């Protein structure tokens, strides 16, 4: 039997990149999956179709991570559609790479609103529906633990906040058997950070393996943390970065 059979998952920002890989992997492991997307309905539809072609169940829900009411509605729609909620994956995030001195307050606010406030809001709303013994999984970043390059100051600071949020929340939810963990990717080949991009050479050089990771490699870690085998792992920051922070 599939490891996540009868489980229901909500992934924020699940229409592309790491989020799409997570959505597809959890569906392949047997979960019914709902995911949010901000704008690109065609990309979201493609993810749903890919899952359904493989015999899985998925729904896409438009909800910008900065819109608290929309995120709350997405959680309620997930619960109404599938009858329960077992796993929340806080994947939605953004970065605006540039020197800190040149970063505007508006740009800082956007990074904070998506990467911290959005995570807080989604998690708080999900706790009203999350089953005891469930899972909350953050998608943080290796730069939330160690800043290896300039140009990511607000992003790194928000991901460090996610790391501490994970640890603190795990203390509050342990009595319900809910685990809270933070997966911290290193450089991953996505549209936002392509392995062929201008920033790729120093990032590859910073890893022990000398390459970018694939979204599926992050999804594999998320799938493990969501599974029954990870029931004694909580409050952990699990870095998947090809040795970048070694």
């Amino acid at each position: 039997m599939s490891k996540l059979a009868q489980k229901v998952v909500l992934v924020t920002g699940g229409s592309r990149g790491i989020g799409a890989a997570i959505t597809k992997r959890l569906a392949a492991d047997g979960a019914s999956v709902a995911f949010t997307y901000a704008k690109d309905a065609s990309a979201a539809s493609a993810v749903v179709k890919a899952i359904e072609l493989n015999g899985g169940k998925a729904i896409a829900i438009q909800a910008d991570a900065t819109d608290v009411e929309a995120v709350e509605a997405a959680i309620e729609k997930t619960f109404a559609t599938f009858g329960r909620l077992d796993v929340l994956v806080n994947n939605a995030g953004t970065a605006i790479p540039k020197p800190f001195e040149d970063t505007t307050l508006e740009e800082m606010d956007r990074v904070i609103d998506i990467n911290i406030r959005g995570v807080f809001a989604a998690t708080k709303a999900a706790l009203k529906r999350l089953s005891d013994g469930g899972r909350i999984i953050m998608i943080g970043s290796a730069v939330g633990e160690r800043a290896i390059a300039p140009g990511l100051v607000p992003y790194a600071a928000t991901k460090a906040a996610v790391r501490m949020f994970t640890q603190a929340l795990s203390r509050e939810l342990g009595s319900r058997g809910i685990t809270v963990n933070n997966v911290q990717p290193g450089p991953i080949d996505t549209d936002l950070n392509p392995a062929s991009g201008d920033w790729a050479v120093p990032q590859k050089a910073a890893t022990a393996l000398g390459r970018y990771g694939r979204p599926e490699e992050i999804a594999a870690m998320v799938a493990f943390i969501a599974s029954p085998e990870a029931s004694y792992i909580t409050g952990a920051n699990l870095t998947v970065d090809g040795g970048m922070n070694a």
Side-chain angles (χ1 to χ4, degrees), residues 48-64:
V48 171
K49 288 178 181 177
I51 290 171
E52 291 178 343
L53 283 172
N54 286 324
K57 296 179 181 178
I59 60 169
I61 307 168
Q62 185 170 15
D64 190 290

Side-chain angles (χ1 to χ4, degrees), residues 64-228:
D64 190 290
T66 63
D67 186 337
V68 173
E69 290 184 358
V71 171
E72 290 174 346
I75 289 165
E76 291 305 310
K77 183 172 182 178
T78 301
F79 189 84
T81 301
F82 296 119
R84 58 187 293 130
L85 179 63
D86 300 286
V87 181
L88 170 68
V89 182
N90 280 309
N91 170 74
T94 193
I96 303 175
K98 61 168 57 178
F100 182 70
E101 188 175 5
D102 298 332
T103 304
T104 67
L105 287 174
E106 290 77 15
E107 289 170 334
M108 290 184 210
D109 284 345
R110 178 159 179 77
V111 173
I112 290 168
D113 283 349
I114 295 176
N115 293 1
I116 300 179
R117 189 170 181 269
V119 169
F120 284 10
T123 302
K124 183 175 175 62
L127 284 174
K128 299 173 185 177
R129 296 297 192 183
L130 196 66
S131 302
D132 288 354
R135 305 280 190 266
I136 298 174
I137 303 170
M138 318 296 176
I139 304 301
S141 173
V143 301
E145 195 163 275
R146 182 183 176 197
I148 62 138
L152 292 170
V153 173
Y155 177 76
T158 60
K159 292 302 186 179
V162 167
R163 177 165 55 88
M164 198 64 236
F165 176 59
T166 298
Q167 294 174 222
L169 188 62
S170 70
R171 292 287 185 180
E172 294 193 8
L173 300 182
S175 62
R176 290 181 56 187
I178 296 172
T179 67
V180 188
N181 292 290
N182 177 33
V183 176
Q184 300 187 134
I188 304 298
D189 187 14
T190 64
D191 291 343
L192 295 178
N193 184 21
S196 58
D198 294 338
W199 294 64
V201 172
Q203 289 184 76
K204 287 178 184 176
T207 70
L209 296 178
R211 68 171 178 88
Y212 266 45
R214 302 185 307 276
E216 292 76 15
E217 291 174 306
I218 303 303
M221 175 61 86
V222 173
F224 170 67
I225 294 301
S227 75

